[in-house]
Amino acid sequence: FFFFFNDTATTEIYTLSLHRRSSDLGLHRLEYRGYDSAGVALVNPDGRLNVFKCKGKVSDLEHFLDGKDLGGNIGIAHTRWATHGVPNDANAHPHYSESENIALIHNGIIENYRVLKDALEQNGYTFRSSTDSEVLVNLIEYVRATSGCSLPEAVRQALRQVIGAYAIAVVEKGNHDRIVAARQSSPMVVGVGDGEFFLSSDAASIIEYTEDFVYVGDGEIAVIDRNAPLKIVTLDNHDAKIDIKKLQLSISQLEKGGYPHFMLKEIYEQPRTIVDCIRGRINPDTCEVKLSGVIDHRDRFVNARRIIFVACGTSWHASLIGEHLVESICGIPVEVEYASEFRYRNPIIREDDIVVAVSQSGETADTLAAVELARKAGAFVFGICNVVGSSIARATDSGAYIHVGPEIGVASTKAFTGQVTVMAMLALAVGRERGTVTEAYYNEVSAALLHLPETMEEVLKVAPQVADLAKIFTYAHNFIYLGRGYNYPTALEGALKLKEISYIHAEGYPAAEMKHGPIALIDAEMPTVAIATPDHTYEKTASNIEEIKARGGKIIAVIARGDEQVRRSADFVIEVPVIAECLMPIVVSVPLQLLAYYIAVYKGRNVDQPRNLAKSVTVE
Ligand code: M6R
């Protein structure tokens, strides 16, 4: 009987058993979600409640735990991504209540924590941390003390006063049989084992112990008790249905498999992940594209007046490519919105709009909120997610998984290429139903998709050359990335990759925009990565490259194999194989991922866990 529960204050929840300890992989597997401090609470068989926590990564917690009393039947643990209060020992989770009778871990943000804290202070409560989470554990204690109710009931009553997002796990002194957990907006699953339960923010972290999961719903409280069946109640105190779902995931997908970093492994996985992404969706004999999420809602797509993509970060970049694909192949007007802006600007959404929510994790708080807004407005919502069973996947009307397997590196790589691949299939499937795509173009693009895995194998051969190039440019403090058409978003994505893992400032621009301001930045210290693969703006991009060169700028150009024109102007070239123009971002993004990766490695950065970031942004 043991649990894993983790947090990113967000929380990653992790548990310990009599036989397993923190060196087990559970909390490490959640570290991608946050890694500035970590901690664990254990309830001893004699009822003592011990909390151990420290600033740093899970490995620092492991050292800290050496020689400590780790006896316990149950435990909760957490790895944090700071929201309220700097990363330090005091702000690390778990948090004790004032009396140290209750301990809590929390993933999310309590928005009304200030009001609650003031009220608790008036009732004599003091606080050891700057977190919103400590307010919640004290509120639970206060409710329990003043009403004399059970812990699950105190959690329920306390949460009814809370505004915000949370996944919490709570244990108490004197009860080594029970964990109370609850969720609102932040993800949480209960793993159901053989005579044991697990609790986690991510099913993948506990997949080695069970394939059976219960997804705790919004506004639900799970009571996991050794002496009783699993019970889930709503905040209104009604019993909720317990629906056990199977999740198939192999452990090897969660390991580095001999690569020094997850990011490099994930870059190299792309030929295979594209196979998985298109498997069963394109008929190799007829080139016909079939997406069940489109077939099942054919009329919605055929009659759509507008498509609105909502996403964040890399998924937003992929959506910009989706905009080109859908407008040119389906003739449907498209808008691409940052989910964080969309949700707050009272957008006009009609019932014949389709909102496409794009998210690798399927847990991004802003994207999830945009989905909820769109559904309330009556739009049909289609999800393009990677994580099966994730909150966004479950909240949408229909969708298509990208099936690229777990992405652990914080910098998104294979998810981006998977998203664009799904968008290309979506555009082809819808375009054919609407009669807006010619047979020849349909066949050209779907055949190119079928050959994409080999093309990705080919392009990966540039890795050693890109590694050499990265050595030359490790000195740079700023970079500009240029691209046009389908490759303008690729330029944005290349710049994002570089900045997030190397901490070098990088900007992406449409090449023609240079002359409207950014060209003033160009000098010998400011390298430009220019994407100049064949398309109808090739000549213009070639001229932009000349303009940069004339101002002393250094050019790294991504060109088609055999291109001599840009080769002559560029200082360095990376040659890539050429396929259908609309799929070129998938190919071109690979050397850009590698460039960012190697520069970050040469700069000694923590590639998989760059500073200040978290993989899954489950807070606003
Ligand atoms: O899981 P999502 O695709 O919704 O995540 C969105 C962004 O947080 C994510 O793409 C982020 O920008 C990555 N770190 C980029 O590499």
Side-chain angles (χ1 to χ4, degrees):
F1 184 84
F2 56 91
F3 304 88
F4 281 80
F5 193 18
N6 93 39
D7 152 325
T8 59
T10 122
T11 302
E12 304 320 321
I13 300 164
Y14 166 73
T15 54
L16 303 180
S17 72
L18 293 173
H19 356 274
R20 296 181 170 94
R21 45 163 296 163
S22 75
S23 56
D24 272 6
L25 289 171
L27 198 55
H28 279 295
R29 290 239 159 94
L30 290 162
E31 215 173 3
Y32 72 93
R33 303 172 72 96
Y35 35 79
D36 58 45
S37 52
V40 57
L42 295 157
V43 188
N44 277 69
D46 65 7
R48 273 178 299 129
L49 171 60
N50 292 322
V51 169
F52 306 106
K53 56 185 187 171
C54 63
K55 181 180 170 187
K57 296 185 182 296
V58 175
S59 52
D60 296 307
L61 175 67
E62 285 173 335
H63 292 131
F64 181 70
L65 290 178
D66 272 346
K68 302 276 191 315
D69 172 10
L70 295 179
N73 294 53
I74 61 169
I76 56 176
H78 181 278
T79 171
R80 179 173 187 249
W81 182 76
T83 58
H84 294 65
V86 297
N88 62 18
D89 294 352
N91 291 332
H93 298 217
H95 291 286
Y96 271 132
S97 62
E98 175 91 13
S99 68
E100 300 194 355
N101 282 338
I102 301 176
L104 164 143
I105 52 180
H106 168 223
N107 171 22
I109 291 179
I110 309 299
E111 287 178 10
N112 60 338
Y113 84 101
R114 180 61 41 222
V115 180
L116 297 171
K117 189 171 182 177
D118 289 349
L120 286 164
E121 280 172 341
Q122 279 165 20
N123 282 290
Y125 278 82
T126 55
F127 292 85
R128 305 167 173 102
S129 78
S130 325
T131 66
D132 51 340
S133 313
E134 193 187 3
V135 174
L136 182 53
V137 71
N138 278 329
L139 180 62
I140 293 168
E141 174 164 291
Y142 176 73
V143 171
R144 185 137 159 71
T146 50
S147 70
C149 63
S150 66
L151 182 67
E153 179 57 14
V155 168
R156 191 183 73 80
Q157 287 184 26
L159 290 177
R160 285 175 64 90
Q161 301 179 46
V162 162
I163 300 169
Y166 52 79
I168 59 166
V170 187
V171 289
E172 68 178 336
K173 195 176 191 167
N175 191 335
H176 52 80
D177 289 337
R178 184 174 61 194
I179 294 181
V180 182
R183 100 162 252 222
Q184 176 69 49
S185 300
S186 299
M188 175 183 284
V189 291
V190 176
V192 182
D194 185 10
E196 58 193 13
F197 289 99
F198 307 83
L199 196 55
S200 178
S201 301
D202 179 355
S205 68
I206 47 181
I207 195 73
E208 58 216 277
Y209 306 112
T210 181
E211 289 183 343
D212 294 329
F213 292 96
V214 176
Y215 290 92
V216 180
D218 263 350
E220 290 181 356
I221 299 162
V223 183
I224 303 165
D225 194 317
R226 184 205 299 270
N227 306 310
L230 174 66
K231 184 174 170 67
I232 300 187
V233 294
T234 64
L235 285 178
D236 301 334
N237 215 7
H238 294 115
D239 283 346
K241 194 165 160 250
I242 295 179
D243 187 10
I244 298 181
K245 293 219 154 64
K246 275 233 174 295
L247 180 68
Q248 261 136 20
L249 202 64
S250 80
I251 304 295
S252 63
Q253 289 178 287
L254 304 172
E255 311 284 351
K256 283 190 202 149
Y259 287 91
H261 299 99
F262 280 109
M263 182 180 177
L264 191 62
K265 176 191 173 221
E266 287 158 6
I267 292 172
Y268 271 93
E269 274 176 351
Q270 290 175 107
R272 192 186 51 72
T273 57
I274 301 278
V275 172
D276 292 341
C277 183
I278 59 180
R279 178 174 290 125
R281 290 166 163 172
I282 308 181
N283 183 322
D285 300 323
T286 61
C287 286
E288 194 183 357
V289 179
K290 281 202 165 142
L291 285 181
S292 61
V294 173
I295 295 168
D296 295 347
H297 302 275
R298 180 189 172 276
D299 293 348
R300 279 280 191 175
F301 281 96
V302 169
N303 301 318
R305 184 200 289 245
R306 181 175 62 151
I307 290 184
I308 308 168
F309 283 87
V310 290
C312 305
T314 288
S315 300
W316 186 80
H317 296 152
S319 300
L320 292 174
I321 299 166
E323 175 181 27
H324 277 234
L325 284 160
V326 171
E327 289 199 337
S328 61
I329 298 176
C330 313
I332 304 173
V334 175
E335 285 169 32
V336 182
E337 300 258 10
Y338 285 115
S340 53
E341 289 298 308
F342 180 80
R343 63 182 291 192
Y344 284 119
R345 67 166 184 75
N346 200 12
I348 297 165
I349 307 170
R350 299 196 201 89
E351 289 191 358
D352 49 4
D353 284 334
I354 295 179
V355 171
V356 179
V358 186
S359 174
Q360 184 285 130
S361 61
E363 301 294 348
T364 300
D366 286 320
T367 312
L368 183 57
V371 167
E372 279 156 9
L373 178 73
R375 292 204 64 187
K376 269 196 200 119
F380 177 75
V381 185
F382 188 89
I384 298 180
C385 296
N386 187 33
V387 178
V388 175
S390 55
S391 301
I392 294 171
R394 284 180 291 127
T396 46
D397 296 299
S398 175
Y401 284 115
I402 61 173
H403 290 312
V404 299
E407 191 181 66
I408 312 284
V410 163
S412 194
T413 52
K414 61 178 180 172
F416 174 76
T417 51
Q419 287 164 345
V420 179
T421 303
V422 164
M423 289 170 190
M425 291 189 286
L426 177 74
L428 290 176
V430 175
R432 173 161 277 186
E433 293 298 340
R434 286 172 58 92
T436 47
V437 59
T438 64
E439 203 58 22
Y441 190 65
Y442 181 96
N443 288 335
E444 179 198 335
V445 177
S446 57
L449 281 166
L450 283 168
H451 288 114
L452 195 51
E454 294 115 74
T455 315
M456 296 300 266
E457 291 283 4
E458 265 313 293
V459 70
L460 278 165
K461 291 183 185 156
V462 299
Q465 185 208 344
V466 175
D468 289 346
L469 208 53
K471 250 182 223 147
I472 301 170
F473 285 98
T474 304
Y475 74 87
H477 295 293
N478 300 284
F479 262 84
I480 283 189
Y481 284 68
L482 301 180
R484 291 196 73 168
Y486 279 107
N487 275 322
Y488 159 51
T490 322
L492 295 179
E493 176 59 9
L496 176 62
K497 287 291 84 86
L498 185 69
K499 72 183 119 184
E500 71 179 324
I501 60 168
S502 74
Y503 319 149
I504 293 174
H505 171 240
E507 298 286 342
Y509 282 102
E513 274 296 300
M514 283 300 281
K515 57 186 173 292
H516 299 293
I519 200 163
L521 296 168
I522 295 297
D523 63 17
E525 304 290 303
M526 169 78 113
T528 298
V529 177
I531 304 166
T533 49
D535 59 29
H536 59 287
T537 54
Y538 169 83
E539 289 297 341
K540 295 181 196 307
T541 305
S543 304
N544 297 140
I545 289 172
E546 291 295 343
E547 288 155 16
I548 292 166
K549 203 179 163 201
R551 285 154 182 86
K554 290 264 177 299
I555 309 275
I556 303 167
V558 181
I559 59 169
R561 275 199 194 136
D563 174 343
E564 287 305 323
Q565 180 180 346
V566 171
R567 174 187 290 280
R568 276 194 293 275
S569 348
D571 296 280
F572 303 92
V573 293
I574 302 169
E575 287 189 325
V576 296
V578 174
I579 55 167
E581 183 186 336
C582 66
L583 302 180
M584 280 308 283
I586 301 172
V587 178
V588 171
S589 61
V590 173
L592 304 190
Q593 294 165 353
L594 288 165
L595 184 65
Y597 171 79
Y598 285 116
I599 290 180
V601 168
Y602 296 141
K603 288 182 85 75
R605 305 303 191 210
N606 186 339
V607 172
D608 285 334
Q609 296 176 345
R611 70 183 180 200
N612 303 339
L613 293 177
K615 179 72 181 162
S616 187
V617 186
T618 54
V619 294
E620 281 195 52

